[in-house]
Amino acid sequence: MLTNYHTHCDLCKHAEGNVEDYVKQAVKDGFDVLGMSDHVPYPDYDYGYRMEFAEIWDYICDVRDAQKKYGGRLRILLGFESEYMREYRGYYEELLDEYGVEYLILGQHFYDIKGYWNSAYNISDTAECVTYARSVSEGLDTGYYSLLAHPDIVGVNRLEWDRNMDEMSDIIINSAVKNGIPLEINANGVRRGTYVDSLGTHFTYPHFRFWEKVAGSGAEVVISADCHNPALLNDGDVEKCRELAKIWGLNVIDEIKVRR
């Protein structure tokens, strides 16, 4: 099967193309399943680079309309990419149980440090990566999520790999296995290119040290475009992720669990 569950649209303010543009591209590329998963808006605070809360029904209706119009050619799923924050548990449940959202992706772009939210893109000490991993694990334990996006995204900080990084990886991987939630190899990391450190030349993410651990864990893995442009839905960087998955001997699956 040809699938993608991590797909954004222009409502998030940093993508190009509306929902139908991505659906048309998926039909053209011969996809079996397309999951729309734009960044979830929050009802009481603007966390940036995402749709306004007032636009949430526009997004839901756009996906529902696409399901009706193109449902005979591929399966289209309604989802969101969401951080996990304890204070929004009721909101996540409302999305799944009342809004009719079919799945949530956990994309932990920020995490709680002693009462304030720190960006996963702004980590300067590997000890914070362990804190980040614990927040991811807490989110996975809730049962809200069907997929863990870019689990190794802290690699963007280009920190030297050490025991804290190993512990971070073990926490995340063990939690994913325990909860039966697939880990995502994310093509956006490949799009960022490579860099050189003491380990050699490699991607910031997908980081080979993390995925070597995944290979020995039995965890399920999903390959995602994380596309913000329809042309990137099945581009060469997605193909590179497929190649890496084969090289690392990962257990790649095509389908994730959804609510409906």
Side-chain angles (χ1 to χ4, degrees):
M1 294 179 64
L2 189 56
T3 64
N4 188 69
Y5 300 100
H6 195 162
T7 317
H8 296 279
C9 69
D10 53 6
L11 286 172
C12 73
K13 303 182 180 70
H14 61 286
E16 299 177 29
N18 59 31
V19 169
E20 188 170 13
D21 292 329
Y22 288 89
V23 172
K24 287 180 178 178
Q25 185 68 48
V27 170
K28 179 180 177 181
D29 290 345
F31 273 74
D32 298 285
V33 182
L34 178 69
M36 294 302 305
S37 55
D38 211 11
H39 296 280
V40 73
Y42 290 92
D44 58 349
Y45 189 78
D46 180 8
Y47 287 93
Y49 288 109
R50 59 193 68 211
M51 69 183 75
E52 305 296 327
F53 184 70
E55 296 175 309
I56 191 169
W57 283 109
D58 294 333
Y59 170 72
I60 291 173
C61 289
D62 286 347
V63 177
R64 293 299 186 208
D65 288 345
Q67 289 173 330
K68 294 175 184 176
K69 186 175 181 180
Y70 296 91
R73 286 180 265 183
L74 80 164
R75 187 181 182 197
I76 302 166
L77 298 172
L78 170 62
F80 281 104
E81 182 181 12
S82 164
E83 295 76 20
Y84 171 70
M85 295 180 275
R86 295 186 195 105
E87 58 266 42
Y88 291 108
R89 287 176 64 106
Y91 175 50
Y92 304 138
E93 292 169 7
E94 186 179 13
L95 288 171
L96 293 167
D97 297 334
E98 299 180 27
Y99 283 57
V101 172
E102 292 162 308
Y103 72 105
L104 294 176
I105 292 176
L106 177 57
Q108 197 76 335
H109 301 99
F110 40 81
Y111 60 99
D112 187 16
I113 299 183
K114 298 179 180 179
Y116 76 93
W117 293 98
N118 189 47
S119 171
Y121 297 90
N122 188 33
I123 296 177
S124 58
D125 184 341
T126 60
E128 290 187 26
C129 294
V130 178
T131 303
Y132 165 81
R134 288 174 179 152
S135 74
V136 169
S137 180
E138 183 179 344
L140 296 181
D141 285 343
T142 64
Y144 300 151
Y145 301 97
S146 299
L147 177 64
L148 175 57
H150 39 61
D152 50 344
I153 198 170
V154 297
V156 300
N157 299 290
R158 301 189 178 190
L159 302 171
E160 286 292 329
W161 198 276
D162 61 9
R163 288 178 296 177
N164 288 327
M165 300 293 279
D166 279 326
E167 184 178 358
M168 173 203 73
S169 302
D170 290 339
I171 290 170
I172 291 174
I173 295 166
N174 291 340
S175 181
V177 172
K178 179 185 72 172
N179 289 289
I181 298 173
L183 300 165
E184 177 198 73
I185 297 184
N186 187 288
N188 261 350
V190 174
R191 294 182 185 112
R192 290 173 177 267
T194 59
Y195 75 107
V196 181
D197 64 4
S198 63
L199 298 175
T201 303
H202 58 89
F203 296 108
T204 57
Y205 71 97
H207 197 295
F208 77 95
R209 290 293 292 268
F210 178 89
W211 292 101
E212 285 175 348
K213 284 178 169 285
V214 174
S217 72
E220 295 179 327
V221 174
V222 167
I223 296 169
S224 293
D226 190 2
C227 52
H228 293 68
N229 184 305
L232 304 179
L233 186 59
N234 193 30
D235 67 348
D237 294 316
V238 176
E239 182 58 33
K240 180 62 177 180
C241 289
R242 297 185 184 115
E243 294 173 4
L244 290 172
K246 290 180 181 179
I247 291 170
W248 293 329
L250 301 176
N251 178 25
V252 176
I253 63 171
D254 298 319
E255 296 185 83
I256 64 173
K257 296 176 183 178
V258 298
R259 288 297 182 102
R260 296 163 186 83

